[in-house]
Each structure stands twice: as C-alpha cells, then as structure tokens.
Amino acid sequence: MTREFTGWHMLGIMVVAFGTIISVNLTLAYKAVQTFPGLETRNSYVASQSFDADRAAQDALGWTLETHLTHTELTLSVTDANGTSITPKVVSVTLGRATNVAQDMTPDFTIKNGIMHANVDAGAGYWNLRLVLEADDGTVFRRRIQLTAQ
C-alpha cells in the first residue's frame, strides 16, 4: 500500500529545507560578527597590509577598557593584563553618533584616581566612542565602542 503525497508532506519538506538554510546563514553571520576586532580605517587596502600585525600587537597589550556615559560625563578606565590601572597617552578620542557626524565631539580628559573623566553633552541614545591610545612602547591601540547615554 502506497501513501498519498499531500500538501502537508510538501510543507514539512519545505520547512525543514528552508529552516536548515536559514539556521546555517544565521550561524555564519553570527560567527562573522564575532571575528570583527573593532578596528576602523579610511583605506582598507593600506590597513590590510599590516592588519594582522597591528591586531596581534594590540592583543599582546592585554588592555581592558571600561567605559560609562551619562548625559554629562564620560568615564574611561584602562587596565593592563594584570588588572593594574594605567593611563595611556591619548592620541585621539571622538564621541559621536553613528549616523550624524555633526554631533561629533572630542572629549578633553582629566585623570582622577587612575580613571579618565571628560565633561560631555550627550543626549539620550546610542553613541560611538572611537579611541586611539598609545602604549609606553609605542603600540597604537584602536577601538570603537558603542555606548548608551544613561
């Protein structure tokens, strides 16, 4: 006795097939986003020539950044691999919106108890903090951090 092939059978096959395709694509997209180290550059070809070496040098520093943004203040704490608070040389810092460069600002940091503080005028919403710091050995450390003003 043969079973009749119905629309429900076809629906089951399609759900399994497209479910597999969608889940594989979502997994690959998630893994691709995880590999982005947060480096930004104007000319991708020039940066690609030294990208791996720059990333390895930054990773070797072992720095951890902790940031906090309120409507009036930005705080930045940098610790080394041992957890010791450090104050690296600030090459450039830009705080701005992802979609509007007209609101970009350059915070001027003061150091209190090993934590860098800057007065800012940040409205509610998402902000991008673009940091370029320099270690004592001359290694340039670049990061882009997304913050929410609280």
Side-chain angles (χ1 to χ4, degrees):
M1 177 166 163
T2 60
R3 234 174 125 174
E4 182 181 347
F5 186 76
T6 65
W8 288 109
H9 294 114
M10 187 63 197
L11 178 64
I13 291 170
M14 296 303 289
V15 166
V16 169
F18 280 105
T20 302
I21 292 169
I22 291 170
S23 63
V24 166
N25 282 317
L26 288 174
T27 302
L28 291 175
Y30 177 75
K31 292 202 176 278
V33 168
Q34 281 185 320
T35 63
F36 182 68
L39 297 174
E40 290 184 346
T41 182
R42 292 186 186 273
N43 185 324
S44 60
Y45 176 74
V46 171
S48 70
Q49 302 306 300
S50 62
F51 179 82
D52 290 332
D54 291 345
R55 183 178 60 186
Q58 289 182 49
D59 290 343
L61 290 173
W63 287 1
T64 303
L65 302 175
E66 291 184 27
T67 57
H68 183 71
L69 177 65
T70 65
H71 295 291
T72 59
E73 185 178 38
L74 170 66
T75 59
L76 173 65
S77 173
V78 183
T79 56
D80 63 8
N82 299 325
T84 307
S85 181
I86 59 171
T87 52
K89 177 183 174 190
V90 176
V91 176
S92 72
V93 177
T94 305
L95 179 66
R97 303 259 189 204
T99 57
N100 187 355
V101 295
Q103 293 180 339
D104 283 3
M105 56 187 102
T106 305
D108 187 24
F109 286 104
T110 57
I111 300 169
K112 298 176 193 171
N113 299 328
I115 299 174
M116 295 185 272
H117 298 268
N119 293 326
V120 295
D121 184 20
Y126 295 112
W127 291 85
N128 286 331
L129 180 64
R130 293 178 191 87
L131 293 167
V132 180
L133 306 173
E134 186 175 325
D136 291 337
D137 65 357
T139 302
V140 177
F141 183 85
R142 300 175 195 272
R143 281 296 183 269
R144 183 183 64 84
I145 303 166
Q146 186 175 19
L147 302 169
T148 304
Q150 299 177 359

